[in-house]
Amino acid sequence: SVASFSKPVHGTLPQNLIEKIVRLRIYESRYWKEHCFGLTAELLVDKAVSLQYFGGVCSENNKPTPFLCLLLKMLQIQPDLSIVLEFVRNEEYKYVRCLGVLYLRLVGTPLQIYKELEPFYSDYRKLRFQTKTGWKLTYMDEWIDELLHEDIVLNIVLPRLSKRLLLEEAGQLSERVSALQMELDSSENEAGTEDDEDSSSSLSSDSVSSDSASDLDVEAKTGDTPAEIESHEREKSLEVMEEDKNETTKRKHSKMKKEKKKQKKKKKKKKKKHKKQKIVVRGLKATPAAPKSEEEEGRAKVGENSVEYWNMQREKLGLKRLKE
């Protein structure tokens, strides 16, 4: 079996780093049975190159993605470190890098993880990520940040990673300098060299042009370098843009309020019409009842079965009254 030949990692078999429930799902999946059976390290490279997205368990049935199946196969095969580093350092296929980075995070040492993963903070390529509910767009630097700081990724509990400060204090790692800090340092150095050149040229030259004189006057008043002046101008332009955005949002809100008022007025008019329609049904008003005849009034006053009623009828016919 594969377990008998695999080397322990973090005190357990490498495939046990994935939860048992997720492993059983992978073993029962169609992709595992069709594409991952009998895979070697060489054939696994071809499968990894064909990946078009990455993710853990998707859909309501907790179906594992091909990315997760290949990760479990790598844990079973345990390829050489050189092959894993080729996966990590590959720049053509971004999902191959995603697979290699996750495998190194599960199996590698803290020193290897920090040295190999931190340079990819400057990789801003887009990635398609499949979740349980659908699709999501993410980036490579965000994926690297999750691996270095999160405890659970893709329903996998990651091994504990020692903090970077401890490795720095032990002398195994140097202090990390971000790409932004490097750019700021370089821009400051360039600004310093430009200032030195300007000062030397002003001392050596006898005559200075009007434009350069105005620049020097501004520098003398403000005490800022040209780069700092440009940054201030950019900040002002950004503030103007934000004010324009706020004005547009206010206009949109006012329009929305006006539309809501119009809709309320329309609803009130409709309610008044419905009330009128209830009073007048099909365009006809209720007609008053016709007046009753004398006979009907007599019947109402005197019951039809009474003696007085029949005596009245006999008198009309010229007959004698009945005895009471």
Side-chain angles (χ1 to χ4, degrees), residues 212-227:
S212 62
S214 62
D215 291 336
L216 290 170
D217 293 335
V218 170
E219 288 181 8
K221 290 177 182 179
T222 59
D224 296 333
T225 58

Side-chain angles (χ1 to χ4, degrees), residues 19-36:
E19 297 291 332
K20 186 177 179 180
I21 298 171
V22 180
R23 271 187 285 132
L24 294 175
R25 294 278 184 185
I26 293 170
Y27 294 147
E28 293 173 359
S29 66
R30 187 174 178 181
Y31 186 87
W32 177 267
K33 293 175 182 178
E34 291 183 359
H35 300 280
C36 296

Side-chain angles (χ1 to χ4, degrees), residues 100-145:
V101 160
L102 180 54
Y103 178 80
L104 186 65
R105 175 66 179 84
L106 290 171
V107 175
T109 60
L111 189 61
Q112 289 175 345
I113 292 166
Y114 283 114
K115 282 185 176 180
E116 295 295 334
L117 269 63
E118 282 182 346
F120 302 131
Y121 272 123
S122 59
D123 190 354
Y124 307 114
R125 287 182 291 180
K126 294 180 181 179
L127 299 172
R128 286 187 291 271
F129 179 65
Q130 189 175 14
T131 61
K132 285 187 177 181
T133 56
W135 295 91
K136 179 184 174 183
L137 186 67
T138 185
Y139 298 87
M140 183 67 76
D141 58 336
E142 292 180 1
W143 173 240
I144 297 297
D145 190 66

Side-chain angles (χ1 to χ4, degrees), residues 2-18 75 78:
V2 178
S4 60
F5 294 103
S6 58
K7 299 177 183 178
V9 177
H10 302 295
T12 59
L13 294 173
Q15 61 184 358
N16 291 339
L17 295 173
I18 297 175
L75 292 170
Q78 284 185 308

Side-chain angles (χ1 to χ4, degrees), residues 290-304 309 312:
K292 294 182 179 179
S293 62
E294 293 179 357
E295 294 181 359
E296 289 177 352
E297 288 179 357
R299 288 179 184 177
K301 291 179 181 178
V302 182
E304 292 183 355
Y309 174 76
M312 289 171 66

Side-chain angles (χ1 to χ4, degrees), residues 153-180:
V153 173
L154 306 181
N155 297 325
I156 300 171
V157 179
L158 299 175
R160 185 181 176 279
L161 185 66
S162 57
K163 293 184 178 180
R164 199 179 195 285
L165 290 173
L166 298 175
L167 297 175
E168 289 179 4
E169 290 175 358
Q172 296 178 1
L173 280 176
S174 59
E175 292 184 2
R176 180 178 173 272
V177 181
S178 63
L180 278 173

Side-chain angles (χ1 to χ4, degrees), residues 175-186:
E175 292 184 2
R176 180 178 173 272
V177 181
S178 63
L180 278 173
Q181 189 64 36
M182 292 174 68
E183 288 181 1
L184 290 171
D185 293 339
S186 63

Side-chain angles (χ1 to χ4, degrees), residues 203-266:
L203 291 171
S204 61
S205 60
D206 297 333
S207 63
V208 180
S209 63
S210 61
D211 294 333
S212 62
S214 62
D215 291 336
L216 290 170
D217 293 335
V218 170
E219 288 181 8
K221 290 177 182 179
T222 59
D224 296 333
T225 58
E228 290 176 349
I229 294 166
E230 288 180 0
S231 65
H232 290 307
E233 290 177 354
R234 288 176 184 174
E235 289 177 358
K236 289 180 182 178
S237 61
L238 289 172
E239 289 177 357
V240 173
M241 292 289 287
E242 288 180 356
E243 289 177 356
D244 293 336
K245 287 181 181 178
N246 293 328
E247 288 178 358
T248 53
T249 51
K250 287 180 181 178
R251 289 175 185 173
K252 288 180 181 178
H253 286 302
S254 62
K255 287 182 180 179
M256 292 290 287
K257 287 181 181 178
K258 289 180 181 179
E259 289 178 356
K260 286 181 179 178
K261 288 181 181 178
K262 288 181 181 179
Q263 289 177 358
K264 287 181 180 178
K265 289 181 181 178
K266 288 181 180 179

